[in-house]
Amino acid sequence: MRDLRLDQLDSFRQVIALGSFSAAAERLGLSQPAVSLQIRELERRLGVTLIERVGRRAQPTAAGNELLDHAGRIAAAVAAAQEAMARHATGSMGRVRIGTGATACIFLLPPVLRDLRLQHPTLELTVSTGNTSDIVKAIEDNQIDIGLVTLPAAGRCLDVTPLLEDEFAVIAPLGMDLPTRLTPEALARLPVLLFEPGGITRRIADEWFARAGVTLKPVMSLGSVEAIKRLVGAGLGCAILPGMAVRGESDGLAVRALSPRVHRKLGLVLRKDKPLHRGLRETLKALRALGTLG
């Protein structure tokens, strides 16, 4: 184990994450032969085969899978050490990378981030958006520190804390004639806009219809909650959206409850072995203050 090099471990993690030596080389800014050489030297040092090809994809062996866990913890420790030294050098509270869905980013996080910046001016905050699966993968790879995502989310190295429930609602133009009870059967007779497929939010809506034996063909599927609200306001139909996106809505839109009601659960996700520097602790504290569960 002498002379175990961080760059070789990083190359190994990138090859596994991307599934190929060429993709890893491109991300790392190296040549493919250089990456292949790093992996061969790492395997020679450890005395085991770490990567095998399954079809066209590079996959970890049993030894590689075990090393992957250690490599993730090593990368997290190195990043924490670098951030700690940077804080000593600059007086900064460090950097916190948050991953969340677009809806929570727009309607839930802004006051939290504002207060954090006011209370801790040297805290560097970055926010990226995506689906739960993408954010969880980025947390496992230590590319994101905290995830605020729609549950369920699972991983052997993850700490998942349920935070709050968000009830879905129907929005419609004020002049639209809506039935008394907005059941799946009733909505299926109306023009409906939904989120585009692929995310948990759309899956929750699809499952709500499916439980009633209703197959809905939306008139439009979009990836932006604001675009959906604008199109509903223009009279193109009604839509099912997370409640946080329509809470307090009064600008030309009616907001109604679904029947039966349906919720999504949001939670905080981070690695179990994540070192909690002061900036990360303060950010977690602010996000946990949003919680209504527990």
Side-chain angles (χ1 to χ4, degrees):
M1 292 294 288
R2 287 187 306 168
D3 302 322
L4 190 62
R5 287 168 41 188
L6 295 176
D7 60 336
Q8 292 174 348
L9 286 176
D10 190 33
S11 293
F12 167 67
R13 293 175 68 237
Q14 294 299 334
V15 170
I16 297 305
L18 300 173
S20 80
F21 284 78
S22 58
E26 183 177 353
R27 174 174 287 184
L28 293 166
L30 301 172
S31 67
Q32 183 174 335
V35 172
S36 298
L37 178 61
Q38 286 183 326
I39 301 303
R40 286 198 302 272
E41 289 179 346
L42 181 60
E43 290 177 328
R44 186 163 56 249
R45 281 193 173 91
L46 298 176
V48 294
T49 300
L50 298 171
I51 295 175
E52 60 186 359
R53 289 196 175 275
V54 179
R56 300 180 62 183
R57 187 171 180 85
Q59 300 274 22
T61 62
N65 262 322
E66 190 164 349
L67 179 62
L68 199 59
D69 286 340
H70 292 291
R73 289 194 291 271
I74 291 169
V78 170
Q82 290 173 329
E83 289 189 7
M85 295 305 100
R87 291 194 300 276
H88 281 291
T90 65
S92 169
M93 286 186 64
R95 178 184 62 171
V96 177
R97 302 164 297 179
I98 303 171
T100 191
T103 305
C105 183
I106 296 171
F107 299 101
L108 191 62
L109 280 186
V112 176
L113 300 181
R114 177 200 61 209
D115 291 347
L116 277 169
R117 289 302 305 274
L118 288 174
Q119 295 169 21
H120 310 289
T122 62
L123 176 61
E124 179 187 349
L125 295 166
T126 65
V127 181
S128 56
T129 60
N131 292 328
T132 291
S133 58
D134 297 328
I135 292 169
V136 167
K137 181 64 168 60
I139 291 171
E140 290 176 330
D141 291 343
N142 200 42
Q143 296 170 349
I144 289 176
D145 301 309
I146 309 171
L148 173 60
V149 299
T150 302
L151 302 181
R156 57 188 173 183
C157 67
L158 299 179
D159 181 23
V160 180
T161 304
L163 190 67
L164 57 90
E165 283 192 341
D166 184 25
E167 182 177 350
F168 281 59
V170 173
I171 61 169
L174 285 177
M176 190 173 189
D177 187 17
L178 294 175
T180 302
R181 295 177 65 245
L182 293 174
T183 63
E185 296 83 357
L187 279 176
R189 294 190 288 269
L190 300 172
V192 178
L193 292 78
L194 293 177
F195 273 105
E196 62 189 7
I200 293 180
T201 300
R202 172 61 182 269
R203 191 176 78 200
I204 291 171
D206 287 341
E207 290 174 351
W208 182 75
F209 282 104
R211 284 193 293 271
V214 174
T215 300
L216 176 78
K217 184 174 177 58
V219 293
M220 287 188 188
S221 297
L222 299 99
S224 163
V225 63
E226 286 300 329
I228 291 174
K229 290 165 69 175
R230 289 292 186 93
L231 293 174
V232 170
L236 273 73
C238 58
I240 299 175
L241 291 176
M244 70 172 63
V246 299
R247 197 166 291 121
E249 194 69 57
S250 61
D251 187 15
L253 297 176
V255 181
R256 295 271 302 277
L258 292 166
S259 181
R261 294 174 181 266
V262 64
H263 302 77
R264 65 172 180 160
K265 187 176 291 184
L266 277 73
L268 293 177
V269 181
L270 70 160
R271 287 184 64 103
K272 292 177 181 177
D273 57 2
K274 186 70 179 177
L276 301 182
H277 60 74
R278 185 185 171 202
L280 189 50
R281 288 197 305 270
E282 291 296 329
T283 304
L284 281 169
K285 178 181 176 182
L287 290 172
R288 286 170 178 156
L290 296 170
T292 58
L293 300 176

